[in-house]
Amino acid sequence: MILGQVVGRVWAERQHSGLDGRRLVLVRALASDARHVAVDLLDAGTGSTVLVATDEAAAAATDLPWVDAAVVALVGGWDGAPT
């Protein structure tokens, strides 16, 4: 799982037909600043803090075995301060 912030939307020039109608977003991981393209299951807006499922959890959430990152939760009230 990755806690991250949606940087913006990603458009594919070509994609697998299983992704038709699904939004793709670019997510910046808060812990490492790494960028990930994820299937957006919740229509998260730019700037939203989100939880991204990875690997098998992402495939299960989307019912698509080749998906390895999916936005599965919007995180509210988190200010980034360590607890």
Side-chain angles (χ1 to χ4, degrees):
M1 294 283 207
I2 297 167
L3 183 62
Q5 184 175 43
V6 177
V7 175
R9 192 159 176 202
V10 174
W11 284 268
E13 188 172 309
R14 287 199 270 166
Q15 64 188 18
H16 190 281
S17 62
L19 291 173
D20 288 346
R22 298 195 187 232
R23 273 174 40 117
L24 301 175
V25 292
L26 183 63
V27 177
R28 178 183 58 85
L30 297 179
S32 67
D33 210 34
R35 305 296 201 267
H36 305 272
V37 174
V39 174
D40 183 7
L41 302 177
L42 303 174
D43 292 328
T46 300
S48 297
T49 302
V50 296
L51 187 63
V52 177
T54 57
D55 303 322
E56 291 87 6
T62 61
D63 289 326
L64 300 171
W66 58 86
V67 170
D68 64 357
V71 174
V72 294
L74 297 174
V75 179
W78 188 76
D79 63 4
T83 57

